[in-house]
């Protein structure tokens, strides 16, 4: 079943807090590695635990090099260059997009049966495998959410039908009581009975 929403607040239980920290820290570092591999990005992550222990990840080089690179960058120059991109940068972006489209098309052809060994190299197959794992995870999560919503709708319908059934049963009981009362009143109006053989009433 799909996981429920976790309320974003400090976990009071220290054991639960430590377990959650370890799990989420590992997940964060794993996602950073995947992003670095899939997009060829340089990523640096630093995490300080509640007791002051540091956990770090540098996907290219070391953390100190990434920090120096970050300090040396000029944010104003970057924002200005993003507004006025020169043709060379635009051509590079177009080339990267074409490469990405080509890789996706190769992956589709491979999945549909074109399994020539020269069709995709090892790196392209690894990227395709990572993408497939992400897609399968997203598909399963979406499927479980839809199933959960349908189950909730069926439960609501079951409650409505049960309430309707109870109401109908009450009405049937009331109608039966009215009919019984009416029958008794009709019998009380005819207290004498006769026999066909004798022709007498008594």
């Amino acid at each position: 079943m799909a996981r429920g929403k976790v309320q974003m607040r400090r976990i009071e239980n220290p054991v639960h807090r430590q377990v959650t920290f370890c799990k989420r820290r590992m997940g964060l570092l794993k996602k950073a590695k995947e992003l670095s591999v899939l997009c060829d990005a340089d990523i640096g992550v630093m995490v300080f635990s509640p007791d002051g222990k540091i956990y770090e990840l540098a996907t290219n080089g070391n953390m100190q090099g990434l920090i120096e690179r970050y300090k040396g960058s000029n944010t104003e120059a970057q924002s200005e260059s993003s507004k006025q991109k020169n043709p060379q940068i635009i051509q590079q972006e177009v080339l990267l997009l074409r490469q990405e489209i080509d890789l996706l098309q190769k992956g589709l052809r491979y999945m549909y049966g074109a399994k020539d060994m020269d069709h995709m190299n090892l790196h392209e197959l690894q990227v395709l495998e990572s993408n497939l794992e992400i897609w399968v995870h997203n598909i399963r999560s979406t499927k479980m959410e839809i199933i959960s919503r349908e189950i909730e709708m069926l439960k609501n319908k079951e409650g409505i039908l049960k309430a309707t059934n109870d109401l109908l049963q009450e009405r049937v009981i009331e109608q039966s009581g009215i009919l019984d009362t009416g029958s008794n009143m009709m019998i009380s109006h005819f207290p004498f009975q006769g026999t066909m053989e004798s022709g007498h009433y008594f």
Side-chain angles (χ1 to χ4, degrees):
M1 298 298 294
R3 286 188 290 176
K5 291 184 178 179
V6 178
Q7 189 174 5
M8 288 295 109
R9 65 176 183 178
R10 182 177 181 271
I11 300 173
E12 298 300 331
N13 189 311
V15 176
H16 294 172
R17 187 166 60 243
Q18 181 64 28
V19 171
T20 302
F21 173 79
C22 293
K23 288 183 178 179
R24 300 256 176 160
R25 184 197 74 228
M26 292 170 60
L28 176 64
L29 298 181
K30 180 182 178 183
K31 289 295 181 185
K33 290 179 182 177
E34 291 176 352
L35 180 60
S36 174
V37 172
L38 293 174
C39 303
D40 197 23
D42 297 338
I43 300 175
V45 180
M46 286 192 300
V47 181
F48 290 90
S49 68
D51 56 358
K53 189 174 181 180
I54 184 172
Y55 301 89
E56 65 180 39
L57 168 70
T59 58
N60 188 9
N62 54 29
M63 183 62 69
Q64 187 63 34
L66 287 175
I67 292 173
E68 292 299 329
R69 181 178 168 186
Y70 174 78
K71 287 181 179 179
S73 63
N74 190 335
T75 54
E76 293 183 22
Q78 288 180 351
S79 61
E80 187 65 26
S81 63
S82 63
K83 293 178 182 178
Q84 298 177 350
K85 292 183 178 179
N86 57 42
Q88 184 178 1
I89 295 177
I90 294 176
Q91 288 178 357
Q92 289 177 354
E93 290 182 353
V94 170
L95 179 62
L96 289 174
L97 287 174
R98 285 178 178 172
Q99 290 175 352
E100 184 176 355
I101 292 171
D102 182 57
L103 179 60
L104 290 173
Q105 289 177 342
K106 283 183 177 180
L108 287 173
R109 287 196 297 269
Y110 191 83
M111 286 188 291
Y112 281 109
K115 298 182 179 179
D116 186 1
M117 293 302 294
D118 297 330
H119 186 62
M120 298 185 74
N121 59 37
L122 179 60
H123 174 70
E124 290 173 338
L125 288 172
Q126 288 174 340
V127 173
L128 177 61
E129 181 183 17
S130 299
N131 286 333
L132 287 173
E133 289 176 354
I134 294 171
W135 297 338
V136 168
H137 173 74
N138 292 337
I139 290 170
R140 285 176 177 168
S141 299
T142 304
K143 183 181 75 173
M144 295 310 296
E145 289 177 4
I146 293 173
I147 291 174
S148 298
R149 287 199 298 267
E150 290 182 352
I151 290 173
E152 192 65 27
M153 288 174 60
L154 290 173
K155 286 182 179 179
N156 292 336
K157 286 182 180 179
E158 181 186 10
I160 293 171
L161 291 173
K162 188 176 183 302
T164 305
N165 187 39
D166 293 341
L167 181 61
L168 291 174
Q169 285 183 351
E170 289 178 2
R171 289 185 179 179
V172 168
I173 293 172
E174 289 176 1
Q175 293 293 330
S176 299
I178 292 172
L179 290 175
D180 291 342
T181 304
S183 300
N184 292 333
M185 290 177 65
M186 290 178 65
I187 293 171
S188 64
H189 285 109
F190 300 97
F192 302 105
Q193 296 180 353
T195 60
M196 295 183 65
E197 293 82 1
S198 62
H200 298 285
Y201 295 91
F202 40 136

